[in-house]
Amino acid sequence: MDAAVLVAPGVKGRKVLSLERHLLDEKEAVAGLMRSIADSGVRSAFYVLDLTRVVALHRRWRRALPYVRPYYAVKCNPEPALLGALAELGAGFDCASRREIEAVLELAVDPGSIVYANPCKPDAHIEYAAQVGVSLTTYDSVEEVAKVKRCHPDCELILRIKGPDNAQAKVDLGTKYGAHADEVVPLLRAAQRAGLRVAGVSFHVGSGGSRTDVYRRAIEAARAAFDAAATLGMPPMRVLDIGGGFMARGSAFKEAAAVINDALAQNFGDLPRVELIGEPGRYFAETAFTLAARVIGKRTRGEVREYWIDDGLYGSLNCVLMDDYVPRPRTLAGRRPGKQQRTYTSTVFGPTCDSLDTVITGYQLPEMSVGEWLVFDDMGAYTKGSGSNFNGFYTSDIETFLAYSS
Ligand code: PLP
């Protein structure tokens, strides 16, 4: 299985650097590799994608949620090597647009392993899904039923229900998506009238939260929707999609899995044929990517140091604004051996001309020179994929090096 990742589509043909993890701790192993990349003459921001970690996270998922097939949410980070590795490991994919579907199909993934999980889609994107055989999509409005009927009449639907309120999550998706309890029956009826099959129910409890009770309440609500469909005489539903919201760091995933397994046994134990899927994004991507950004400018004001780096809030570090990412950069050079290292109160700016493009202020860093590097951990979720090209700094051009330890 592990070796297969190295020949996965998206990885094939790209150089995979060796990660000497057995010698060091995980972060130091990646930093060591980053130092050798920087020493090789690279002069602009780059990522390292740790494929070993992706394999380990997949293994952990299979152990904790053995009956739930992960459909990786491409929006979280569409790096082809990550998609390819996950495809090789047997994952399906949650795509939200034509381009995301194309990116997955380019890796020779079966269209049947894709759920078009965007409840509100442009006509042209639905027509594209019809052309390429992606025939399972989410909805939460009567208007979407009419649109799918018109653009892709053979498509099956998944009713997206609103997850429990979860204001504590970084992104509470329930404020935008999901049928309220009193909308479930009208939405099922709308699909029934249109002659579209409702294959199942989905929800998303919110992204980047640590509460786990929300899964139980969402699974209970999903079961109520299954029962409502049966009462309406609709064909039995066959899919339950438990969405995303999983975290790789800490114990949150283990706790969520325990709640989910228990809630599934209680609410779906009598429906053993129901196919269980999830849409994890952050879980697979967040900790697998590390960013190195280069110091491209410096100003000294008394005891304060100000640095410019070549990635910022309009680029990968948009996650500071959009995803509550708290930057805690460290120097790639690491701690110099011997004497105690002096630090300075520092500000780190991004490269664009907007003063909003300030990554961190009042942060302690050792003295750095132009040409040195800052390292940002856990930079895989909602980063490179959601950066802009403002001021001509192309987020999409930031190179990703692939790493693997055998
Ligand atoms: N599924 C859907 C429909 C989403 O909107 C999202 C994130 O916005 C995800 C899955 C992935 O969520 P997460 O990254 O929290 O796992």
Side-chain angles (χ1 to χ4, degrees):
M1 179 70 84
D2 295 11
V5 169
L6 295 176
V7 293
V11 176
K12 211 156 55 184
R14 287 174 66 184
K15 192 168 173 200
V16 180
L17 303 165
S18 164
L19 204 54
E20 308 274 334
R21 196 193 304 276
H22 58 284
L23 296 176
L24 304 153
D25 79 46
E26 199 169 324
K27 282 186 178 156
E28 255 317 299
V30 172
L33 185 58
M34 287 184 139
R35 280 193 277 277
S36 62
I37 293 168
D39 289 348
S40 75
V42 168
R43 295 205 316 151
S44 55
F46 63 89
Y47 279 97
V48 164
L49 162 56
D50 180 356
L51 289 165
T52 323
R53 180 140 187 88
V54 177
V55 173
L57 286 167
H58 187 265
R59 198 176 291 140
R60 193 167 147 211
W61 178 288
R62 298 301 298 160
R63 268 202 305 266
L65 291 171
Y67 306 112
V68 183
R69 184 180 178 204
Y71 278 54
Y72 171 68
V74 176
K75 61 179 79 65
C76 185
N77 192 321
E79 160 57 48
L82 175 62
L83 304 183
L86 287 168
E88 194 63 34
L89 291 163
F93 294 90
D94 148 8
C95 297
S97 65
R98 173 180 178 146
R99 181 62 207 124
E100 288 189 1
I101 295 173
E102 283 170 348
V104 170
L105 293 180
E106 276 161 19
L107 302 170
V109 170
D110 184 318
S113 287
I114 294 176
V115 54
Y116 189 175
N118 186 339
C120 186
K121 302 162 280 290
D123 294 35
H125 294 220
I126 307 174
E127 284 159 9
Y128 172 74
Q131 264 170 39
V132 296
V134 171
S135 298
L136 190 59
T137 191
T138 55
Y139 82 113
D140 65 0
S141 67
V142 171
E143 284 71 13
E144 197 69 7
V145 174
K147 205 197 303 167
V148 173
K149 175 75 181 170
R150 195 170 64 244
C151 301
H152 189 354
D154 296 329
C155 199
E156 290 189 315
L157 299 174
I158 291 188
L159 176 62
R160 168 96 171 250
I161 58 170
K162 184 179 173 310
D165 291 336
N166 195 0
Q168 164 273 350
K170 287 183 177 192
V171 189
D172 181 4
L173 291 159
T175 57
K176 183 170 179 183
Y177 290 117
H180 294 188
D182 62 346
E183 295 168 340
V184 166
V185 169
L187 285 169
L188 291 172
R189 281 216 180 96
Q192 198 177 28
R193 270 199 306 274
L196 291 176
R197 174 160 183 184
V198 182
V201 174
S202 75
F203 57 79
H204 195 304
V205 299
S207 189
S210 53
R211 280 178 56 189
T212 52
D213 59 307
V214 283
Y215 285 104
R216 181 183 303 284
R217 287 198 279 137
I219 289 169
E220 285 165 3
R223 177 59 205 246
F226 269 64
D227 292 344
T231 307
L232 292 174
M234 298 172 79
M237 290 189 186
R238 60 174 182 81
V239 184
L240 172 63
D241 177 349
I242 65 169
F246 304 94
M247 308 276 273
R249 279 180 292 149
S251 56
F253 178 65
K254 202 171 152 201
E255 285 158 24
V259 171
I260 290 166
N261 287 329
D262 188 57
L264 288 174
Q266 286 192 16
N267 294 278
F268 283 85
D270 60 333
L271 297 176
R273 293 227 179 84
V274 170
E275 189 187 332
L276 303 169
I277 70 175
E279 297 170 359
R282 192 183 299 278
Y283 172 80
F284 281 114
E286 185 168 61
T287 57
F289 289 78
T290 308
L291 173 71
R294 193 164 187 259
V295 176
I296 56 167
K298 177 176 178 180
R299 182 162 58 200
T300 302
R301 283 190 164 149
E303 287 299 292
V304 172
R305 301 290 177 267
E306 295 178 338
Y307 300 103
W308 278 256
I309 58 172
D310 61 352
D311 198 354
L313 266 56
Y314 284 94
S316 305
L317 287 154
N318 71 84
C319 55
V320 172
L321 291 178
M322 306 292 280
D323 201 46
D324 286 345
Y325 176 84
V326 179
R328 289 193 192 87
R330 54 206 159 84
T331 60
L332 184 56
R335 185 175 277 278
R336 278 129 189 138
K339 54 184 181 309
Q340 187 78 15
Q341 196 162 25
R342 170 150 191 215
T343 60
Y344 296 84
T345 301
S346 305
T347 295
V348 178
F349 296 119
T352 70
C353 290
D354 187 349
S355 54
L356 175 78
D357 192 3
T358 302
V359 176
I360 195 161
T361 55
Y363 187 73
Q364 291 298 314
L365 282 170
E367 178 98 47
M368 288 190 300
S369 309
V370 171
E372 287 196 54
W373 299 84
L374 277 179
V375 176
F376 297 81
D377 291 317
D378 302 331
M379 273 292 292
Y382 308 105
T383 50
K384 184 174 161 179
S386 40
S388 76
N389 297 334
F390 180 53
N391 264 197
F393 293 100
Y394 287 86
T395 313
S396 48
D397 284 352
I398 299 174
E399 193 170 355
T400 301
F401 292 87
L402 311 183
Y404 192 75
S405 64
S406 46

